[in-house]
Amino acid sequence: MSLAHGRPYRAIPGPSVVPDRVLAAMHQASPNIYDGPLHDMVSALWPDLKRLACTDQHVALYIGNGHAAWEAANANVFSRGDRALVLATGRFGEGWGESMRGLGIDTEVLNFGRQASIDLNRVEAALRADPRHALKAVALTHVDTATSAKNDIAALRGLMDMVGHPALLMVDCIASMGCDVFRMDDWGVDVTVGASQKGLMLPPGLGVVWFSERARQAGRGGDLVSPWWNWEPRAFGTEFWQHFCGTAPTHHLFGLRVSLDMILHEEGLENVWRRHAALARAVWAAAETWGAGGAMALNIGDPAARGHAVTTLRLDSPDATRLRTWCEAEAGLTLGIGLGMAEPGSDAADGFFRLAHMGHVNAHMVLGALTTIEAGMGALDIAHAPGGATAAARVLAQATLAAAATPAERLAAAPVAMPAG
Ligand SMILES: *Cc1c(COP(=O)(O)O)cnc(C)c1O
C-alpha cells in the first residue's frame, strides 16, 4: 500500500508548481505571430516585467533556461579578458562564475562557503585591492537555491558606493524574483537575471534579463555578443520578431500574461512578498522545533540570511535521502535533493534536502508538506522533537492576524469559529 495516490506535490525548487490557470492559458491553438492580439499582449508584458523587478529601465526576454539568462547577461556586459568578481554563496553563484570563465572573462570567485551570506568585510578588501578599477562587474545570487542563503543587495551597493568602486552590480534573481523583496532601481542593480520556472510559476523556457542604461553603455561594442544574444533588438527592436530574434515563444507568453496578472494585478507584489515571508517563517519554525530532538537543522543559521523561496535542511546521512524517498513514494510529496552541499554520490550528499516554497504555494500546501515530513520522520524512526507542524501552524495563524490592518479585519481573520449566518 502507498498513500501517494492523489494530486502529487512537487516541492522542488524549480520547476515550481504551475497554476492551473497558467496551464489553461497555454492550452490553445497557435496564434498569428505577424499581427493582431499577440502583438498587443506582448506590448503590455514589457511594463509589467519591469514592475516585477521594480525598475524603469530595460528588459530583454530569451528562449532559454537560467543558464541561458546568465550567458545573455555575460555576453552583453563583458568583452573577452574583462575582469569580474563573483561572490559565491552556493552552487549557483559558483555556476555563474563558471559561465563567465567559459566565455573567456577573467573571473575571480570569492567563496563564502555553503552556510552563510556574503561577508562585506571580505568584499570591501577585494574592492580596495583594485584601485585602478579593473573589475568591470560584481556578480552574485540574491538567493542561492542550493544553500538557500540570501544576500543583502542594498548593503552591497552601499559598500560599493562607499568604496567608490564603479563596477556594475549583477544579481541572479532566478530563485528570488516574485518571492523575496527585490528593488532593482532603488538598490542600484545594473543587471538582474531571472527565469520562468521559479517564482514566475511557468514551465522552464524563458530567461529574463533586466538591465540599466549604465550597463547598456558599459557593454556597448563588446566582442562576446553574437546577434542572437544581443539584448539591444530584444529590448528596443521596432519589429515584433526582433524581441525574440525569431519566432516568439508564444505559449510561454500566454502563460506569462496570466502569471504577471496573478502577481501584479490580483494579489499584488508586496502581498506576494509577504506571503512568501510568512510561509518561510513557518518552515523555519517547524525545522527548529524538530531539531530540538534530533539532527534536523536549517542550513543557514541567521534568519536574515535565509531566502524566502526555498529552505535547505540538514539531517544525518543517509536520513535526508531516506526521508525524500519516503515522502515521494508513500505520500506524493517530492522534496528537492541537496544540491552542491557535498560531492554528488558521496555518503555526505544523503544528509541534505530542500523544501521549496516558491511561487504558487499557500498555507495549506506548506502545512501539508511539513506534516508529511513529520510523518515520514516518524515512519522512518528519524529522531526529532514532535510539534514542528504545529509550530508552523501557529506562525501562519499569527501572520494572518498581524497582516490584518484594522480591528475589524483582525476579527475577520481571527482563527475562531464564527456562527454561520
Ligand atoms: C534555478 C537557478 C539557476 C539555473 O537555472 P536553470 O534553468 O537550471 O539553468 C540559476 N540560478 C539560480 C539562483 C537558480 O535558482
Side-chain angles (χ1 to χ4, degrees), residues 143-191:
V143 172
D144 195 297
T145 323
T147 56
S148 62
K150 177 165 71 183
N151 289 307
D152 185 340
I153 305 300
L156 174 61
R157 164 49 71 191
L159 171 71
M160 291 168 71
D161 290 348
M162 191 265 284
V163 172
H165 201 296
L168 298 169
L169 177 53
M170 302 172 72
V171 183
D172 172 349
C173 288
I174 293 172
S176 58
M177 186 61 70
C179 303
D180 280 272
V181 178
F182 179 79
R183 301 181 187 280
M184 176 166 168
D185 288 358
D186 286 355
W187 294 355
V189 175
D190 293 293
V191 177

mmCIF file of all heavy atoms in Angstrom, residues 143-191:
data_model
loop_
_atom_site.group_PDB
_atom_site.id
_atom_site.type_symbol
_atom_site.label_atom_id
_atom_site.label_comp_id
_atom_site.label_asym_id
_atom_site.label_seq_id
_atom_site.Cartn_x
_atom_site.Cartn_y
_atom_site.Cartn_z
ATOM 1 N N VAL A 143 19.319 34.994 -3.959
ATOM 2 C CA VAL A 143 19.135 33.781 -3.155
ATOM 3 C C VAL A 143 19.786 32.629 -3.902
ATOM 4 O O VAL A 143 19.484 32.416 -5.079
ATOM 5 C CB VAL A 143 17.642 33.481 -2.925
ATOM 6 C CG1 VAL A 143 17.452 32.119 -2.273
ATOM 7 C CG2 VAL A 143 17.007 34.580 -2.065
ATOM 8 N N ASP A 144 20.688 31.922 -3.243
ATOM 9 C CA ASP A 144 21.278 30.742 -3.873
ATOM 10 C C ASP A 144 20.383 29.537 -3.561
ATOM 11 O O ASP A 144 20.201 29.172 -2.392
ATOM 12 C CB ASP A 144 22.703 30.484 -3.398
ATOM 13 C CG ASP A 144 23.408 29.494 -4.338
ATOM 14 O OD1 ASP A 144 22.946 28.338 -4.430
ATOM 15 O OD2 ASP A 144 24.388 29.896 -4.994
ATOM 16 N N THR A 145 19.870 28.931 -4.602
ATOM 17 C CA THR A 145 18.870 27.869 -4.447
ATOM 18 C C THR A 145 19.459 26.596 -3.862
ATOM 19 O O THR A 145 18.725 25.730 -3.393
ATOM 20 C CB THR A 145 18.250 27.584 -5.825
ATOM 21 O OG1 THR A 145 18.140 28.833 -6.499
ATOM 22 C CG2 THR A 145 16.883 26.971 -5.727
ATOM 23 N N ALA A 146 20.773 26.461 -3.886
ATOM 24 C CA ALA A 146 21.408 25.268 -3.319
ATOM 25 C C ALA A 146 21.503 25.363 -1.795
ATOM 26 O O ALA A 146 21.143 24.429 -1.081
ATOM 27 C CB ALA A 146 22.788 25.077 -3.927
ATOM 28 N N THR A 147 21.975 26.513 -1.302
ATOM 29 C CA THR A 147 22.179 26.679 0.144
ATOM 30 C C THR A 147 20.990 27.346 0.826
ATOM 31 O O THR A 147 20.866 27.313 2.036
ATOM 32 C CB THR A 147 23.408 27.572 0.408
ATOM 33 O OG1 THR A 147 23.201 28.820 -0.291
ATOM 34 C CG2 THR A 147 24.677 26.918 -0.092
ATOM 35 N N SER A 148 20.156 28.024 0.048
ATOM 36 C CA SER A 148 19.067 28.921 0.467
ATOM 37 C C SER A 148 19.589 30.186 1.157
ATOM 38 O O SER A 148 18.829 30.878 1.831
ATOM 39 C CB SER A 148 17.984 28.219 1.288
ATOM 40 O OG SER A 148 18.438 27.672 2.512
ATOM 41 N N ALA A 149 20.862 30.517 0.955
ATOM 42 C CA ALA A 149 21.424 31.754 1.502
ATOM 43 C C ALA A 149 20.942 32.955 0.691
ATOM 44 O O ALA A 149 20.927 32.916 -0.543
ATOM 45 C CB ALA A 149 22.951 31.701 1.462
ATOM 46 N N LYS A 150 20.571 33.993 1.411
ATOM 47 C CA LYS A 150 20.151 35.252 0.759
ATOM 48 C C LYS A 150 21.170 36.341 1.058
ATOM 49 O O LYS A 150 21.648 36.467 2.184
ATOM 50 C CB LYS A 150 18.772 35.675 1.269
ATOM 51 C CG LYS A 150 18.308 37.024 0.697
ATOM 52 C CD LYS A 150 16.824 37.260 0.897
ATOM 53 C CE LYS A 150 16.459 37.529 2.337
ATOM 54 N NZ LYS A 150 14.991 37.669 2.489
ATOM 55 N N ASN A 151 21.475 37.139 0.047
ATOM 56 C CA ASN A 151 22.434 38.232 0.218
ATOM 57 C C ASN A 151 21.727 39.577 0.260
ATOM 58 O O ASN A 151 20.733 39.794 -0.444
ATOM 59 C CB ASN A 151 23.459 38.192 -0.922
ATOM 60 C CG ASN A 151 24.387 37.000 -0.777
ATOM 61 O OD1 ASN A 151 24.996 36.821 0.284
ATOM 62 N ND2 ASN A 151 24.462 36.156 -1.792
ATOM 63 N N ASP A 152 22.290 40.479 1.060
ATOM 64 C CA ASP A 152 21.729 41.824 1.219
ATOM 65 C C ASP A 152 22.281 42.704 0.096
ATOM 66 O O ASP A 152 23.389 43.237 0.189
ATOM 67 C CB ASP A 152 22.114 42.369 2.602
ATOM 68 C CG ASP A 152 21.455 43.710 2.896
ATOM 69 O OD1 ASP A 152 21.034 44.395 1.938
ATOM 70 O OD2 ASP A 152 21.379 44.070 4.085
ATOM 71 N N ILE A 153 21.486 42.832 -0.960
ATOM 72 C CA ILE A 153 21.952 43.524 -2.167
ATOM 73 C C ILE A 153 22.100 45.027 -1.914
ATOM 74 O O ILE A 153 23.062 45.651 -2.379
ATOM 75 C CB ILE A 153 20.977 43.263 -3.339
ATOM 76 C CG1 ILE A 153 20.795 41.748 -3.564
ATOM 77 C CG2 ILE A 153 21.462 43.959 -4.608
ATOM 78 C CD1 ILE A 153 22.045 40.988 -3.907
ATOM 79 N N ALA A 154 21.170 45.603 -1.167
ATOM 80 C CA ALA A 154 21.247 47.036 -0.888
ATOM 81 C C ALA A 154 22.521 47.358 -0.093
ATOM 82 O O ALA A 154 23.183 48.370 -0.340
ATOM 83 C CB ALA A 154 20.009 47.487 -0.120
ATOM 84 N N ALA A 155 22.868 46.491 0.847
ATOM 85 C CA ALA A 155 24.079 46.723 1.640
ATOM 86 C C ALA A 155 25.327 46.609 0.763
ATOM 87 O O ALA A 155 26.288 47.373 0.930
ATOM 88 C CB ALA A 155 24.146 45.721 2.795
ATOM 89 N N LEU A 156 25.323 45.685 -0.167
ATOM 90 C CA LEU A 156 26.466 45.546 -1.078
ATOM 91 C C LEU A 156 26.610 46.786 -1.945
ATOM 92 O O LEU A 156 27.715 47.301 -2.129
ATOM 93 C CB LEU A 156 26.285 44.294 -1.951
ATOM 94 C CG LEU A 156 27.325 44.089 -3.042
ATOM 95 C CD1 LEU A 156 28.730 43.947 -2.462
ATOM 96 C CD2 LEU A 156 26.973 42.867 -3.906
ATOM 97 N N ARG A 157 25.485 47.282 -2.467
ATOM 98 C CA ARG A 157 25.533 48.514 -3.264
ATOM 99 C C ARG A 157 26.083 49.658 -2.408
ATOM 100 O O ARG A 157 26.920 50.439 -2.852
ATOM 101 C CB ARG A 157 24.143 48.824 -3.816
ATOM 102 C CG ARG A 157 23.937 50.237 -4.325
ATOM 103 C CD ARG A 157 25.021 50.696 -5.255
ATOM 104 N NE ARG A 157 24.987 50.033 -6.558
ATOM 105 C CZ ARG A 157 25.981 50.140 -7.455
ATOM 106 N NH1 ARG A 157 27.073 50.848 -7.187
ATOM 107 N NH2 ARG A 157 25.902 49.529 -8.615
ATOM 108 N N GLY A 158 25.632 49.743 -1.164
ATOM 109 C CA GLY A 158 26.114 50.785 -0.261
ATOM 110 C C GLY A 158 27.620 50.690 -0.081
ATOM 111 O O GLY A 158 28.332 51.703 -0.087
ATOM 112 N N LEU A 159 28.127 49.471 0.062
ATOM 113 C CA LEU A 159 29.563 49.265 0.220
ATOM 114 C C LEU A 159 30.314 49.702 -1.049
ATOM 115 O O LEU A 159 31.339 50.394 -0.954
ATOM 116 C CB LEU A 159 29.854 47.786 0.505
ATOM 117 C CG LEU A 159 31.332 47.411 0.484
ATOM 118 C CD1 LEU A 159 32.054 48.002 1.694
ATOM 119 C CD2 LEU A 159 31.522 45.898 0.449
ATOM 120 N N MET A 160 29.815 49.315 -2.214
ATOM 121 C CA MET A 160 30.487 49.685 -3.464
ATOM 122 C C MET A 160 30.533 51.216 -3.618
ATOM 123 O O MET A 160 31.545 51.780 -4.040
ATOM 124 C CB MET A 160 29.774 49.042 -4.659
ATOM 125 C CG MET A 160 29.944 47.520 -4.701
ATOM 126 S SD MET A 160 28.848 46.689 -5.893
ATOM 127 C CE MET A 160 29.589 47.199 -7.452
ATOM 128 N N ASP A 161 29.447 51.876 -3.225
ATOM 129 C CA ASP A 161 29.417 53.341 -3.304
ATOM 130 C C ASP A 161 30.387 53.945 -2.293
ATOM 131 O O ASP A 161 31.095 54.907 -2.592
ATOM 132 C CB ASP A 161 27.993 53.852 -3.029
ATOM 133 C CG ASP A 161 27.043 53.509 -4.183
ATOM 134 O OD1 ASP A 161 27.522 53.087 -5.256
ATOM 135 O OD2 ASP A 161 25.822 53.655 -3.985
ATOM 136 N N MET A 162 30.427 53.359 -1.103
ATOM 137 C CA MET A 162 31.294 53.880 -0.050
ATOM 138 C C MET A 162 32.763 53.761 -0.456
ATOM 139 O O MET A 162 33.546 54.697 -0.288
ATOM 140 C CB MET A 162 31.011 53.101 1.241
ATOM 141 C CG MET A 162 31.612 53.649 2.498
ATOM 142 S SD MET A 162 33.175 52.875 2.878
ATOM 143 C CE MET A 162 32.620 51.295 3.522
ATOM 144 N N VAL A 163 33.114 52.623 -1.053
ATOM 145 C CA VAL A 163 34.492 52.417 -1.508
ATOM 146 C C VAL A 163 34.768 53.266 -2.758
ATOM 147 O O VAL A 163 35.920 53.570 -3.068
ATOM 148 C CB VAL A 163 34.728 50.906 -1.798
ATOM 149 C CG1 VAL A 163 36.061 50.654 -2.459
ATOM 150 C CG2 VAL A 163 34.613 50.107 -0.502
ATOM 151 N N GLY A 164 33.708 53.635 -3.475
ATOM 152 C CA GLY A 164 33.869 54.415 -4.698
ATOM 153 C C GLY A 164 34.280 53.565 -5.878
ATOM 154 O O GLY A 164 34.965 54.026 -6.792
ATOM 155 N N HIS A 165 33.863 52.293 -5.849
ATOM 156 C CA HIS A 165 34.199 51.416 -6.980
ATOM 157 C C HIS A 165 33.085 51.459 -8.020
ATOM 158 O O HIS A 165 31.918 51.241 -7.683
ATOM 159 C CB HIS A 165 34.413 49.981 -6.502
ATOM 160 C CG HIS A 165 35.219 49.176 -7.485
ATOM 161 N ND1 HIS A 165 34.761 48.903 -8.761
ATOM 162 C CD2 HIS A 165 36.461 48.633 -7.419
ATOM 163 C CE1 HIS A 165 35.682 48.210 -9.412
ATOM 164 N NE2 HIS A 165 36.733 48.042 -8.629
ATOM 165 N N PRO A 166 33.426 51.733 -9.277
ATOM 166 C CA PRO A 166 32.380 51.920 -10.292
ATOM 167 C C PRO A 166 31.893 50.629 -10.965
ATOM 168 O O PRO A 166 31.136 50.710 -11.940
ATOM 169 C CB PRO A 166 33.092 52.799 -11.333
ATOM 170 C CG PRO A 166 34.522 52.365 -11.257
ATOM 171 C CD PRO A 166 34.773 52.002 -9.811
ATOM 172 N N ALA A 167 32.299 49.473 -10.466
ATOM 173 C CA ALA A 167 31.886 48.220 -11.118
ATOM 174 C C ALA A 167 30.364 48.132 -11.216
ATOM 175 O O ALA A 167 29.642 48.644 -10.367
ATOM 176 C CB ALA A 167 32.420 47.024 -10.331
ATOM 177 N N LEU A 168 29.912 47.463 -12.263
ATOM 178 C CA LEU A 168 28.480 47.172 -12.395
ATOM 179 C C LEU A 168 28.089 46.136 -11.344
ATOM 180 O O LEU A 168 28.909 45.293 -10.959
ATOM 181 C CB LEU A 168 28.175 46.610 -13.783
ATOM 182 C CG LEU A 168 28.477 47.523 -14.967
ATOM 183 C CD1 LEU A 168 28.371 46.729 -16.274
ATOM 184 C CD2 LEU A 168 27.545 48.725 -14.994
ATOM 185 N N LEU A 169 26.845 46.175 -10.904
ATOM 186 C CA LEU A 169 26.332 45.188 -9.949
ATOM 187 C C LEU A 169 25.337 44.281 -10.671
ATOM 188 O O LEU A 169 24.321 44.750 -11.195
ATOM 189 C CB LEU A 169 25.657 45.911 -8.774
ATOM 190 C CG LEU A 169 25.003 45.042 -7.694
ATOM 191 C CD1 LEU A 169 25.966 43.999 -7.131
ATOM 192 C CD2 LEU A 169 24.451 45.925 -6.567
ATOM 193 N N MET A 170 25.675 42.977 -10.730
ATOM 194 C CA MET A 170 24.857 41.997 -11.466
ATOM 195 C C MET A 170 24.287 40.984 -10.469
ATOM 196 O O MET A 170 25.035 40.406 -9.678
ATOM 197 C CB MET A 170 25.714 41.269 -12.511
ATOM 198 C CG MET A 170 26.364 42.220 -13.511
ATOM 199 S SD MET A 170 27.560 41.389 -14.601
ATOM 200 C CE MET A 170 26.463 40.418 -15.659
ATOM 201 N N VAL A 171 22.977 40.764 -10.513
ATOM 202 C CA VAL A 171 22.339 39.919 -9.497
ATOM 203 C C VAL A 171 21.484 38.833 -10.161
ATOM 204 O O VAL A 171 20.631 39.126 -11.000
ATOM 205 C CB VAL A 171 21.467 40.773 -8.553
ATOM 206 C CG1 VAL A 171 20.867 39.908 -7.457
ATOM 207 C CG2 VAL A 171 22.290 41.906 -7.935
ATOM 208 N N ASP A 172 21.728 37.597 -9.758
ATOM 209 C CA ASP A 172 20.925 36.447 -10.181
ATOM 210 C C ASP A 172 19.718 36.347 -9.253
ATOM 211 O O ASP A 172 19.858 35.995 -8.083
ATOM 212 C CB ASP A 172 21.791 35.178 -10.108
ATOM 213 C CG ASP A 172 20.994 33.892 -10.338
ATOM 214 O OD1 ASP A 172 19.756 33.944 -10.341
ATOM 215 O OD2 ASP A 172 21.642 32.840 -10.482
ATOM 216 N N CYS A 173 18.544 36.682 -9.816
ATOM 217 C CA CYS A 173 17.294 36.613 -9.038
ATOM 218 C C CYS A 173 16.416 35.468 -9.528
ATOM 219 O O CYS A 173 15.187 35.518 -9.381
ATOM 220 C CB CYS A 173 16.536 37.935 -9.164
ATOM 221 S SG CYS A 173 17.311 39.278 -8.276
ATOM 222 N N ILE A 174 17.035 34.457 -10.092
ATOM 223 C CA ILE A 174 16.237 33.367 -10.680
ATOM 224 C C ILE A 174 15.365 32.714 -9.614
ATOM 225 O O ILE A 174 14.197 32.417 -9.853
ATOM 226 C CB ILE A 174 17.169 32.345 -11.371
ATOM 227 C CG1 ILE A 174 17.839 33.003 -12.599
ATOM 228 C CG2 ILE A 174 16.387 31.101 -11.798
ATOM 229 C CD1 ILE A 174 18.928 32.169 -13.246
ATOM 230 N N ALA A 175 15.911 32.512 -8.416
ATOM 231 C CA ALA A 175 15.122 31.877 -7.354
ATOM 232 C C ALA A 175 14.240 32.880 -6.621
ATOM 233 O O ALA A 175 13.196 32.519 -6.094
ATOM 234 C CB ALA A 175 16.042 31.199 -6.348
ATOM 235 N N SER A 176 14.657 34.132 -6.556
ATOM 236 C CA SER A 176 14.002 35.072 -5.644
ATOM 237 C C SER A 176 12.962 35.965 -6.311
ATOM 238 O O SER A 176 12.106 36.522 -5.611
ATOM 239 C CB SER A 176 15.061 35.963 -4.984
ATOM 240 O OG SER A 176 15.803 36.660 -5.965
ATOM 241 N N MET A 177 12.993 36.095 -7.641
ATOM 242 C CA MET A 177 12.082 37.038 -8.298
ATOM 243 C C MET A 177 10.632 36.611 -8.084
ATOM 244 O O MET A 177 10.259 35.484 -8.387
ATOM 245 C CB MET A 177 12.420 37.107 -9.792
ATOM 246 C CG MET A 177 11.641 38.165 -10.547
ATOM 247 S SD MET A 177 11.919 39.861 -9.975
ATOM 248 C CE MET A 177 13.607 40.170 -10.491
ATOM 249 N N GLY A 178 9.839 37.529 -7.557
ATOM 250 C CA GLY A 178 8.451 37.184 -7.255
ATOM 251 C C GLY A 178 8.319 36.397 -5.967
ATOM 252 O O GLY A 178 7.274 35.809 -5.699
ATOM 253 N N CYS A 179 9.367 36.363 -5.153
ATOM 254 C CA CYS A 179 9.326 35.650 -3.860
ATOM 255 C C CYS A 179 9.883 36.558 -2.754
ATOM 256 O O CYS A 179 9.192 36.866 -1.793
ATOM 257 C CB CYS A 179 10.140 34.364 -3.921
ATOM 258 S SG CYS A 179 9.646 33.207 -5.211
ATOM 259 N N ASP A 180 11.134 36.964 -2.901
ATOM 260 C CA ASP A 180 11.783 37.836 -1.922
ATOM 261 C C ASP A 180 11.710 39.287 -2.405
ATOM 262 O O ASP A 180 11.740 39.554 -3.606
ATOM 263 C CB ASP A 180 13.262 37.466 -1.772
ATOM 264 C CG ASP A 180 13.466 36.265 -0.873
ATOM 265 O OD1 ASP A 180 13.593 36.447 0.347
ATOM 266 O OD2 ASP A 180 13.479 35.156 -1.412
ATOM 267 N N VAL A 181 11.701 40.214 -1.444
ATOM 268 C CA VAL A 181 11.728 41.639 -1.791
ATOM 269 C C VAL A 181 12.957 41.922 -2.644
ATOM 270 O O VAL A 181 14.081 41.539 -2.275
ATOM 271 C CB VAL A 181 11.781 42.509 -0.517
ATOM 272 C CG1 VAL A 181 11.869 43.985 -0.882
ATOM 273 C CG2 VAL A 181 10.571 42.233 0.367
ATOM 274 N N PHE A 182 12.737 42.553 -3.797
ATOM 275 C CA PHE A 182 13.854 42.935 -4.661
ATOM 276 C C PHE A 182 13.471 44.222 -5.373
ATOM 277 O O PHE A 182 12.419 44.301 -5.997
ATOM 278 C CB PHE A 182 14.154 41.832 -5.687
ATOM 279 C CG PHE A 182 15.293 42.198 -6.622
ATOM 280 C CD1 PHE A 182 16.609 42.090 -6.193
ATOM 281 C CD2 PHE A 182 15.046 42.682 -7.894
ATOM 282 C CE1 PHE A 182 17.661 42.460 -7.034
ATOM 283 C CE2 PHE A 182 16.094 43.044 -8.745
ATOM 284 C CZ PHE A 182 17.397 42.927 -8.306
ATOM 285 N N ARG A 183 14.336 45.248 -5.262
ATOM 286 C CA ARG A 183 14.053 46.551 -5.864
ATOM 287 C C ARG A 183 15.260 46.981 -6.686
ATOM 288 O O ARG A 183 16.203 47.577 -6.166
ATOM 289 C CB ARG A 183 13.763 47.583 -4.760
ATOM 290 C CG ARG A 183 12.581 47.213 -3.867
ATOM 291 C CD ARG A 183 12.327 48.297 -2.816
ATOM 292 N NE ARG A 183 11.325 47.890 -1.856
ATOM 293 C CZ ARG A 183 9.998 47.945 -2.077
ATOM 294 N NH1 ARG A 183 9.548 48.420 -3.210
ATOM 295 N NH2 ARG A 183 9.150 47.538 -1.160
ATOM 296 N N MET A 184 15.204 46.641 -7.954
ATOM 297 C CA MET A 184 16.373 46.819 -8.818
ATOM 298 C C MET A 184 16.881 48.265 -8.839
ATOM 299 O O MET A 184 18.075 48.503 -8.624
ATOM 300 C CB MET A 184 16.031 46.364 -10.239
ATOM 301 C CG MET A 184 17.153 46.602 -11.235
ATOM 302 S SD MET A 184 16.932 45.722 -12.782
ATOM 303 C CE MET A 184 18.200 46.515 -13.778
ATOM 304 N N ASP A 185 16.008 49.214 -9.091
ATOM 305 C CA ASP A 185 16.475 50.595 -9.236
ATOM 306 C C ASP A 185 16.853 51.197 -7.880
ATOM 307 O O ASP A 185 17.909 51.822 -7.748
ATOM 308 C CB ASP A 185 15.417 51.458 -9.930
ATOM 309 C CG ASP A 185 15.304 51.130 -11.421
ATOM 310 O OD1 ASP A 185 16.076 50.269 -11.908
ATOM 311 O OD2 ASP A 185 14.450 51.729 -12.097
ATOM 312 N N ASP A 186 16.026 50.990 -6.873
ATOM 313 C CA ASP A 186 16.331 51.543 -5.544
ATOM 314 C C ASP A 186 17.663 51.003 -5.015
ATOM 315 O O ASP A 186 18.378 51.697 -4.293
ATOM 316 C CB ASP A 186 15.248 51.172 -4.531
ATOM 317 C CG ASP A 186 13.978 51.968 -4.747
ATOM 318 O OD1 ASP A 186 13.980 52.854 -5.614
ATOM 319 O OD2 ASP A 186 12.980 51.684 -4.057
ATOM 320 N N TRP A 187 17.974 49.765 -5.337
ATOM 321 C CA TRP A 187 19.181 49.135 -4.820
ATOM 322 C C TRP A 187 20.380 49.315 -5.751
ATOM 323 O O TRP A 187 21.452 48.768 -5.482
ATOM 324 C CB TRP A 187 18.935 47.636 -4.568
ATOM 325 C CG TRP A 187 17.943 47.355 -3.479
ATOM 326 C CD1 TRP A 187 17.338 48.274 -2.661
ATOM 327 C CD2 TRP A 187 17.436 46.065 -3.092
ATOM 328 N NE1 TRP A 187 16.484 47.626 -1.787
ATOM 329 C CE2 TRP A 187 16.523 46.282 -2.030
ATOM 330 C CE3 TRP A 187 17.661 44.765 -3.533
ATOM 331 C CZ2 TRP A 187 15.845 45.239 -1.408
ATOM 332 C CZ3 TRP A 187 16.983 43.721 -2.903
ATOM 333 C CH2 TRP A 187 16.085 43.957 -1.856
ATOM 334 N N GLY A 188 20.207 50.055 -6.838
ATOM 335 C CA GLY A 188 21.325 50.331 -7.734
ATOM 336 C C GLY A 188 21.872 49.096 -8.428
ATOM 337 O O GLY A 188 23.076 48.985 -8.657
ATOM 338 N N VAL A 189 20.984 48.183 -8.784
ATOM 339 C CA VAL A 189 21.417 46.979 -9.515
ATOM 340 C C VAL A 189 21.462 47.297 -11.004
ATOM 341 O O VAL A 189 20.560 47.954 -11.536
ATOM 342 C CB VAL A 189 20.453 45.805 -9.228
ATOM 343 C CG1 VAL A 189 20.804 44.585 -10.071
ATOM 344 C CG2 VAL A 189 20.482 45.461 -7.740
ATOM 345 N N ASP A 190 22.518 46.848 -11.674
ATOM 346 C CA ASP A 190 22.676 47.131 -13.106
ATOM 347 C C ASP A 190 22.150 46.023 -14.000
ATOM 348 O O ASP A 190 21.645 46.298 -15.086
ATOM 349 C CB ASP A 190 24.152 47.385 -13.415
ATOM 350 C CG ASP A 190 24.631 48.669 -12.770
ATOM 351 O OD1 ASP A 190 24.165 49.743 -13.186
ATOM 352 O OD2 ASP A 190 25.430 48.593 -11.817
ATOM 353 N N VAL A 191 22.319 44.791 -13.583
ATOM 354 C CA VAL A 191 21.824 43.673 -14.385
ATOM 355 C C VAL A 191 21.146 42.675 -13.438
ATOM 356 O O VAL A 191 21.738 42.263 -12.440
ATOM 357 C CB VAL A 191 22.965 42.969 -15.152
ATOM 358 C CG1 VAL A 191 22.423 41.764 -15.926
ATOM 359 C CG2 VAL A 191 23.649 43.944 -16.111
#
